[in-house]
């Protein structure tokens, strides 16, 4: 019996597991099995601890596996595990646990796999096998990464974001301590993959290059090529992601006619794509030398869109043909199902369009029969594997194929089947909303409005339950927020607002009592939460307050909320008043027209040195859109504060600079902007406990390729603040470092952080950072982690002031970053600048703001309003005083 189990261990591990822990479920030699030494069984001739029934079950499981009946194989092995005697050697139980985990992961059943991984890891620890433990932790971490739980993966692999600082008992540290070269190559590769998925690309490249170096030192026949191929493929994927980030930036630059910046970004994107091409092609060569069909197929799939972006259609066609030819030989798995769907999408969109946009748009021309055949094939694969998640995607995607063909009946039937598959064992929850959305579109096309609205609402409800895990995921079926999430909310809001009729005149009017705008506002709040979650990714969990903050906007608050909702052909503007009344007005302009007018207004505002008198024409036009329809209601309810929940490009301008033809908006109302009301803290500033930490930079700085000018008036700004606020701590220039900030926060509880330094808000969180006195880049995610880990303050920061920051003109996603800085930095409020301004003006406004806040007993919005009015009265242009805005709690 024991001799069988020794054979079983060797055979079992070779047959069903993966050759490298950081590859995406590709069949090959086991990381923790045959590449190491098979564990010896202790044969007890006096007492057979492994009954013959267990031997039979294990043997039958292997036979079923080889026949492709994975579900039945799992059933046999689980029964064998249950029947093992408590006295059976631990190695027998460990073998079953490990390989059950691998097979469940192969079938896309990550949660079940983790149950087995946890037991296997505990057993390896109990058996005192550090090499085996490190290898198992690598595979466990890979499963966490595939489920979008990157922090847990990184914690298991290293415990930090840099290999040089990996913690003891992490997978990498264990591999290094036991001189396990194979384990090191795999753990480093897994680490690089987890970092990539978390969008820490530079750290990912460093880890993967180390994995590549280690793999070249392996001396076992065949393994150097296998691990090199894996590391090269992962490197190619990282460079592809970096290129895609550049293409997103190009889209923003092009939208605002910034041709120079677009050209620079294009060159950088091509550079990254060429680096990806080199890595992929080297990986492909090694995979071909090994005869590794699965790896060849995966690389060819990645090369198709890459060659298209590089405008090499012949190579793209060749890679597509190779992928189609290899498909029948690829090992059955959940990843094969996903890859087949990706290939079908790539065939549908035979241009540079990302194949994953298939869910939000239809292909041009007739449906491609090759794509249809592949989708049918994917359904059959998933059903054979009993892969409900894969089956859901395959059925739903084929339903969309028929939707685009106009065959709504067949599309509806397939979509319903996709919903059923998605509901099975909750394996496809991340696809369920897609098919509810698809149902809504199909019903809308058939003019079944109530049914369509209900289906859309179901889709949004589903998104709300899975938002955190979905919007930080980066699986092979990549979700692009603006293509596959945002339209669900916007299309539902369009249906919800359809009952108030088409765009009307400038004057808003009370709605009939049976019509409510609450549903649309609730949907918009959900969209804003989803936007922020997508923007920050897994680095931040966005959690709204449990209750509506009625104290901020309720009766006697003197505060009205102006909410905008942008659609392609029009924009809704909703006014919500302390009395509980709501009114709606419409902007009868396309989103493109609004973008042009808003960008022109902001360019005018930014021109600080224009000697001509400020032309209020554009400021009046936007006032007419956003404020004038509510003038009478604002007056009748004696409103003194306006809070804006702005959508799209409107986020990028300061509302204080709008003009009614006689005066600026700030001369009538205090203003504030919030990402959503549900993320706005309601408590007021405790002026008796103001304790301020000031960080200032007066010297020039360079971060990467960007140079920042000296801020000549920062010393004056600091002095003005110290005159008003007693007990300030100052970190200036070289004294302002991440280390000194960490020390200061650990020693004192600060309620206000004032940063008179350069800050930038960009398309992605890594583009959103502060510049320290030693030209370090400090992201708001790093600041949040720092504040939470060392701060002596148990309460959130009351106010974060950023007086020298900027966003790009026309970049509404960067403006989203400003809206989210309050949440990300763990603060209740922020004072931030929408663009770099003259720091002499900033110094004057800052001093007056704190004077009003502390001694004038004003709220934050009113304190800033008073300071800005004083600047207007002194003759200052709006380019100097208007970019400073209140974000978050305005009281």
């Amino acid at each position: 019996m024991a001799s069988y189990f020794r054979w079983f261990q060797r055979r079992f591990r070779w047959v069903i597991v993966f050759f490298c822990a950081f590859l995406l479920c590709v069949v090959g030699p086991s990381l923790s099995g045959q590449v190491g030494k098979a564990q010896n069984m202790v044969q007890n001739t006096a007492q057979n601890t492994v009954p013959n029934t267990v031997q039979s079950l294990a043997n039958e499981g292997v036979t079923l596996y080889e026949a492709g009946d994975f579900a039945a194989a799992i059933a046999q092995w689980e029964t064998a595990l249950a029947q093992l005697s408590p006295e059976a050697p631990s190695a027998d139980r460990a073998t079953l646990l490990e390989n059950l985990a691998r097979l469940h992961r192969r079938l896309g059943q990550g949660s079940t796999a983790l149950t087995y991984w946890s037991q296997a890891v505990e057993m390896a620890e109990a058996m005192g096998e550090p090499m085996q433990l490190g290898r198992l932790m690598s595979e466990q971490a890979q499963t966490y990464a595939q489920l979008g739980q990157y922090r847990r993966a990184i914690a298991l692999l290293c415990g930090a974001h840099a290999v040089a600082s990996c913690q003891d008992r992490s997978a990498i540290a264990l591999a290094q301590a036991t001189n396990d070269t194979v384990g090191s190559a795999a753990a480093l590769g897994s680490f690089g993959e987890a970092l990539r998925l978390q969008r820490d690309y530079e750290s990912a490249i460093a880890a993967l290059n180390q994995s590549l170096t280690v793999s070249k030192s392996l001396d076992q026949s065949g393994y150097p090529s296998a691990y090199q191929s894996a590391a090269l493929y992962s490197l190619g994927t990282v460079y592809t992601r970096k290129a895609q980030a550049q293409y997103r930036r190009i889209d923003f630059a092009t939208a605002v006619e910034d041709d120079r910046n677009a050209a620079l970004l294009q060159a950088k994107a091509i550079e990254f794509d060429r680096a990806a091409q080199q890595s992929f092609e080297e990986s492909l060569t090694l995979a071909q030398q090994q005869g590794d069909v699965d790896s060849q197929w995966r690389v060819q799939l990645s090369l198709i869109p890459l060659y298209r972006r590089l405008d090499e259609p012949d190579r793209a066609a060749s890679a597509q043909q190779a992928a189609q030819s290899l498909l029948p030989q690829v090992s059955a798995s959940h990843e094969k199902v996903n890859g087949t769907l990706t290939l079908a999408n790539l065939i549908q969109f035979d241009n540079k369009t990302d194949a994953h946009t298939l869910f939000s748009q239809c292909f041009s021309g007739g449906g491609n029969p090759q794509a249809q055949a592949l989708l049918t094939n994917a359904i059959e694969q998933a059903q054979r594997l009993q892969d409900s998640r894969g089956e859901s995607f395959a059925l739903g995607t084929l339903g969309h194929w028929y939707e685009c063909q106009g065959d709504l009946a067949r599309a509806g039937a397939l979509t319903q089947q996709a919903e059923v598959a998605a509901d099975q064992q909750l394996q496809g929850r991340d696809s369920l909303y897609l098919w509810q959305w698809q149902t809504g579109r199909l019903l809308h096309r058939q003019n079944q409005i109530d049914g369509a609205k209900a289906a859309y609402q179901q889709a949004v409800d589903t998104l709300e339950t899975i938002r955190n895990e979905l919007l930080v995921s980066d699986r092979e079926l990549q979700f692009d927020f603006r293509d596959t999430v945002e339209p669900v909310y916007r299309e539902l809001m369009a249906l919800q607002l359809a009952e108030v009729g088409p765009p009307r005149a400038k004057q808003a009017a009370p709605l009939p009592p049976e019509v409510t705008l609450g549903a649309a506002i609730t949907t918009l709040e959900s969209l804003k939460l989803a936007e922020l979650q997508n923007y920050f990714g897994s680095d931040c969990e966005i959690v709204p307050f449990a209750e509506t903050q009625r104290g901020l906007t309720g009766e006697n608050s003197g505060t009205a909320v102006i909410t905008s909702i942008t659609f392609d052909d029009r924009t809704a503007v909703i006014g919500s008043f302390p009395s509980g009344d709501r009114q709606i007005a419409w902007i009868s302009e396309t989103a493109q027209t609004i973008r042009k007018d808003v960008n022109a207004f902001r360019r005018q505002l930014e021109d600080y040195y224009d000697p001509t008198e400020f032309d209020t024409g554009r400021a009046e036009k936007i006032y007419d859109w956003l404020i004038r329809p509510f003038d009478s209601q604002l007056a009748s309810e004696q409103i003194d504060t306006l809070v804006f929940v702005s959508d799209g490009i409107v986020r990028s301008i300061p509302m204080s600079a709008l003009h009614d033809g006689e005066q600026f908006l700030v001369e009538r109302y205090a203003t504030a902007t919030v990402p959503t009301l549900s993320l706005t803290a309601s408590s007021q500033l405790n002026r008796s406990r103001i304790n301020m930490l000031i960080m200032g930079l007066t010297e020039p700085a360079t971060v990467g390729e960007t140079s920042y000018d000296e801020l000549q008036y920062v010393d004056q700004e600091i002095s003005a603040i110290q005159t008003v606020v007693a007990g300030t701590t100052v970190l200036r220039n070289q004294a302002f470092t991440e280390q000194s900030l960490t020390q200061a926060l650990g020693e004192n509880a600060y309620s206000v952080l004032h940063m008179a330094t350069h800050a930038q808000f960009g398309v992605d969180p890594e583009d959103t950072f502060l510049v320290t006195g030693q030209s370090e880049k400090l992201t708001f995610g790093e600041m949040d982690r720092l504040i939470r880990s060392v701060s002596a303050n148990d309460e959130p920061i009351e106010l974060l002031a950023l007086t020298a920051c900027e966003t790009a003109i026309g970049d509404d996603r960067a403006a989203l970053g400003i809206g989210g800085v309050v949440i990300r930095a763990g603060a209740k409020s922020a004072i931030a600048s929408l663009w770099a301004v003259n720091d002499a003006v900033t110094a004057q406004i800052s001093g007056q703001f704190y004077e009003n806040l502390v001694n004038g007993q004003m709220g934050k919005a009113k304190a800033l309003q008073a300071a800005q009015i004083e600047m207007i009265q002194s003759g200052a242009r709006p380019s100097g005083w208007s970019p400073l805005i209140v974000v978050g709690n305005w009281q």
Side-chain angles (χ1 to χ4, degrees):
M1 178 64 206
S3 62
Y4 167 77
F5 253 82
R6 284 194 293 273
W7 168 87
F8 174 71
Q9 284 179 305
R10 293 194 299 271
R11 172 80 170 165
F12 190 59
R13 295 182 186 216
W14 270 95
V15 167
I16 74 165
V17 297
F18 315 118
F19 81 79
C20 178
F22 66 93
L23 287 181
L24 296 177
C25 300
V26 182
V27 177
S30 167
L31 170 67
S32 52
Q34 191 65 17
V35 293
K37 182 181 292 184
Q39 297 167 333
N40 291 322
M41 295 285 297
V42 178
Q43 184 172 7
N44 187 335
T45 55
Q47 180 180 4
N48 187 356
T49 60
V50 182
N52 290 333
T53 52
V54 173
Q55 175 180 339
S56 299
L57 289 166
N59 192 33
E60 180 63 20
V62 172
T63 302
L64 289 166
Y65 174 83
E66 292 176 333
D69 193 346
F70 300 144
I74 285 174
Q76 295 295 313
W77 293 328
E78 286 179 338
T79 303
L81 183 64
Q83 292 189 9
L84 269 179
S85 165
E87 293 77 24
S90 298
D92 303 347
R93 190 177 308 278
T95 298
L96 287 166
L97 287 171
E98 294 166 27
N99 291 285
L100 277 167
R102 295 187 185 101
L103 187 49
H104 276 292
R105 185 178 66 183
R106 176 175 178 169
L107 297 177
Q109 299 164 4
S111 297
T112 304
L114 284 175
T115 300
Y116 288 113
W117 283 131
S118 296
Q119 295 178 50
V121 165
E122 289 177 5
M123 188 161 290
E125 283 189 292
M127 293 167 65
E129 296 186 359
M131 179 184 291
Q132 181 76 353
L133 174 62
R135 293 180 172 193
L136 291 174
M137 288 170 66
S138 289
E139 297 197 70
Q140 183 183 28
Q142 185 195 10
T143 306
Y144 274 122
Q146 290 171 343
L147 291 171
Q149 299 180 42
Y150 313 133
R151 289 182 181 177
R152 301 193 70 170
I154 289 169
L156 283 169
L157 291 163
C158 181
H161 278 245
V163 175
S165 55
C166 282
Q167 298 174 2
D168 293 342
R169 306 297 292 174
S170 65
I172 291 174
L174 287 169
Q176 292 172 343
T178 56
N179 296 316
D180 181 10
T181 310
V182 170
S184 290
L188 287 165
S190 297
F191 186 44
E193 276 290 285
L195 290 167
R196 173 186 71 80
L197 292 167
Q198 202 175 30
R199 297 191 290 192
D200 188 350
Y201 298 134
E202 299 310 315
S203 298
I205 290 171
L208 291 169
N209 276 323
Q210 284 191 258
S211 177
L212 186 60
T213 300
V214 171
S215 69
K216 290 179 180 177
S217 70
L218 292 170
D219 56 7
Q220 294 106 319
S221 176
Y223 285 106
S225 294
Y227 282 87
Q228 287 177 56
S229 176
L232 286 164
Y233 175 78
S234 292
L235 277 169
T237 305
V238 174
Y239 284 118
T240 294
R241 293 293 185 264
K242 286 173 70 70
Q244 290 172 335
Q246 296 301 315
Y247 289 120
R248 283 199 301 271
R249 295 181 178 98
I250 292 168
D251 289 341
F252 284 112
T254 302
V256 297
E257 302 175 359
D258 187 354
D259 295 336
R260 180 180 178 278
N261 193 34
L264 293 173
L265 292 169
Q266 180 74 24
K268 182 63 75 172
I270 292 174
E271 177 186 333
F272 289 141
D273 266 340
R274 289 298 181 192
Q277 178 187 356
Q278 180 178 345
S279 295
F280 282 144
E281 289 177 350
E282 289 180 19
S283 176
L284 179 61
T285 298
L286 291 170
Q288 289 170 335
Q289 291 172 357
Q290 301 164 59
D292 183 350
V293 173
D294 289 6
S295 294
Q296 292 176 55
W297 184 65
R298 184 172 53 256
V299 176
Q300 296 286 14
L301 282 177
S302 297
L303 282 169
I304 297 169
L306 175 64
Y307 286 141
R308 289 176 181 174
R309 289 196 303 272
L310 293 173
D311 201 22
E312 298 183 10
D314 291 342
R315 284 188 167 187
S318 177
Q320 180 177 308
Q321 180 58 48
Q324 289 180 261
S325 300
L326 289 167
L327 180 59
Q329 306 169 55
V330 176
S331 304
S333 70
H334 171 73
E335 299 305 323
K336 181 180 180 180
V337 176
N338 281 356
T340 304
L341 295 177
T342 296
L343 181 57
N345 293 351
L346 287 166
I347 290 173
Q348 297 275 68
F349 293 95
D350 56 357
N351 51 32
K352 296 179 183 179
T353 303
D354 189 335
H356 299 113
T357 62
L358 182 66
F359 297 120
S360 62
Q361 60 181 267
C362 283
F363 41 82
S364 58
N368 189 305
Q370 286 183 310
Q372 182 189 23
L374 283 169
L375 294 173
T376 302
N377 177 269
I379 294 171
E380 294 169 354
Q381 289 181 53
Q383 290 173 339
R384 283 196 299 270
L385 293 173
Q386 297 185 21
D387 175 8
S388 58
R389 181 175 179 272
E391 183 182 5
S392 170
F393 272 105
L395 286 164
T397 306
L398 184 58
H400 182 60
W401 190 91
Y402 282 109
E403 177 189 6
C404 293
Q405 293 286 90
D407 190 341
L408 303 187
R410 193 170 299 181
L414 286 163
T415 303
Q416 288 181 4
Q417 293 176 50
E419 287 192 47
V420 172
D423 265 337
Q424 290 181 14
Q425 302 175 355
L426 299 179
Q427 290 294 319
R429 290 192 306 160
D430 55 346
S431 68
L432 179 59
Y433 88 92
L434 289 170
W435 320 134
Q436 292 167 333
W437 173 28
Q438 193 157 285
T439 297
R441 293 197 308 270
L442 292 169
L443 291 172
H444 193 198
R445 287 183 63 174
Q446 298 172 69
N447 205 33
Q448 299 181 36
I449 303 303
D450 289 341
K453 196 183 298 184
Y456 271 104
Q457 187 62 60
Q458 284 183 322
V460 166
D461 291 344
T462 300
L463 276 170
E464 291 301 286
T465 64
I466 64 172
R467 184 182 68 240
N468 288 344
E469 61 187 83
L470 174 68
L471 296 181
V472 301
S473 67
D474 191 357
R475 299 189 176 99
E476 194 165 332
L477 280 173
Q478 173 77 23
F479 287 95
D480 185 281
F481 182 81
R482 295 201 170 190
D483 288 324
T484 58
V485 176
E486 184 175 345
V488 183
Y489 292 92
R490 294 207 181 278
E491 290 168 23
L492 174 58
M493 287 187 290
L495 287 172
Q496 290 169 331
L497 293 175
E499 61 188 356
V500 301
R504 297 197 295 267
K506 293 180 180 179
Q507 180 62 48
L511 295 169
E514 69 273 10
V515 176
T516 176
L517 299 172
I521 290 176
T522 298
T523 303
L524 182 67
E525 286 275 306
S526 297
L527 172 58
K528 298 304 179 185
L529 293 174
E531 277 186 312
L532 287 167
Q533 186 69 74
N534 178 251
Y535 182 81
F536 289 117
S538 61
D539 213 27
C540 176
E541 183 174 344
I542 307 299
V543 180
F545 289 101
E547 298 180 1
T548 303
Q549 309 300 304
R550 287 295 298 166
L552 291 170
T553 59
E555 190 174 356
N556 301 321
S557 68
T559 301
V561 179
I562 306 296
T563 303
S564 57
I565 305 176
T566 302
F567 304 104
D568 288 341
D569 59 342
R570 65 196 189 283
T571 292
V573 185
I574 300 172
S576 301
F577 302 94
S579 62
D581 289 345
R582 287 195 176 109
Q583 296 180 3
I584 185 170
W586 290 90
I587 304 173
S588 304
E589 304 282 358
T590 65
Q592 184 176 7
T593 298
I594 292 173
R595 176 178 288 274
K596 287 182 178 180
D597 284 327
V598 166
N599 284 335
F601 175 53
R602 176 160 159 167
R603 285 193 189 94
Q604 178 191 15
L605 284 175
E606 287 197 27
D607 193 355
Y608 182 79
Y609 297 102
D610 184 355
T612 63
E613 184 178 352
F614 184 78
D615 182 359
T616 63
R618 292 191 179 96
E620 291 181 46
K621 184 174 185 179
I622 300 173
Y623 180 96
D624 288 344
W625 287 343
L626 299 177
I627 310 299
R628 198 173 301 280
F630 311 107
D631 271 345
S632 61
Q633 188 77 8
L634 292 170
S636 66
E637 298 211 19
Q638 299 182 333
I639 300 300
D640 58 24
T641 302
L642 294 179
V643 175
F644 292 88
V645 183
S646 298
D647 194 20
I649 193 61
V650 179
R651 290 185 290 223
S652 69
I653 56 172
M655 297 301 172
S656 59
L658 301 185
H659 204 278
D660 65 2
E662 296 180 2
Q663 57 186 343
F664 289 104
L665 185 68
V666 72
E667 296 179 84
R668 293 175 56 193
Y669 305 103
T671 64
T673 181
V674 297
T676 77
L677 284 174
S678 61
L679 293 176
T680 304
S682 60
S683 59
Q684 296 187 11
L685 176 67
N686 184 347
R687 292 170 178 79
S688 65
R689 294 179 55 195
I690 292 181
N691 192 13
M692 181 182 295
L693 175 63
I694 303 176
M695 290 140 280
L697 180 64
T698 64
E699 302 168 346
T702 301
V703 177
E705 299 176 359
T706 304
S707 296
Y708 297 92
D709 295 332
E710 61 181 318
L711 297 170
Q712 299 178 351
Y713 291 88
V714 163
D715 284 333
Q716 180 178 324
E717 181 176 339
I718 293 173
S719 297
I721 296 171
Q722 288 180 309
T723 300
V724 177
V725 183
T728 59
T729 301
V730 179
L731 302 176
R732 184 187 281 105
N733 293 332
Q734 296 297 310
F736 172 27
T737 66
E738 183 174 346
Q739 182 178 358
S740 65
L741 177 59
T742 301
Q743 181 178 348
L745 289 172
E747 293 174 350
N748 290 289
Y750 294 102
S751 57
V752 179
L753 301 183
H754 185 96
M755 298 189 171
T757 181
H758 294 287
Q760 177 174 306
F761 292 85
V763 175
D764 292 314
E766 56 264 31
D767 299 326
T768 299
F769 57 86
L770 300 168
V771 179
T772 71
Q774 295 186 352
S775 293
E776 299 168 318
K777 183 170 80 170
L778 179 64
T779 69
F780 288 100
E782 290 165 346
M783 181 186 293
D784 177 42
R785 284 191 291 271
L786 189 156
I787 290 171
R788 293 178 189 276
S789 62
V790 304
S791 179
N793 192 354
D794 294 331
E795 297 296 324
I797 301 297
E798 286 283 354
L799 178 64
L800 175 66
L802 305 164
T803 58
C805 51
E806 62 180 300
T807 63
I809 292 177
D811 195 339
D812 54 316
R813 185 169 166 87
L816 175 68
I818 280 196
V821 70
V822 177
I823 300 106
R824 193 66 196 94
K828 295 180 180 179
S829 310
I831 301 291
S833 175
L834 286 169
W835 59 82
V837 295
N838 183 293
D839 55 325
V841 176
T842 302
Q844 184 176 346
I845 293 180
S846 295
Q848 189 61 53
F849 166 76
Y850 286 111
E851 170 70 26
N852 298 335
L853 186 70
V854 176
N855 297 329
Q857 298 293 302
M858 299 180 188
K860 297 155 198 167
K862 290 184 178 179
L864 182 60
Q865 177 194 24
Q868 290 174 325
I869 289 175
E870 185 168 313
M871 293 297 295
I872 293 171
Q873 292 172 346
S874 70
R877 293 175 61 83
S879 55
W881 55 260
S882 70
L884 284 172
I885 61 173
V886 175
V887 183
N889 182 294
W890 58 91
Q891 293 185 342

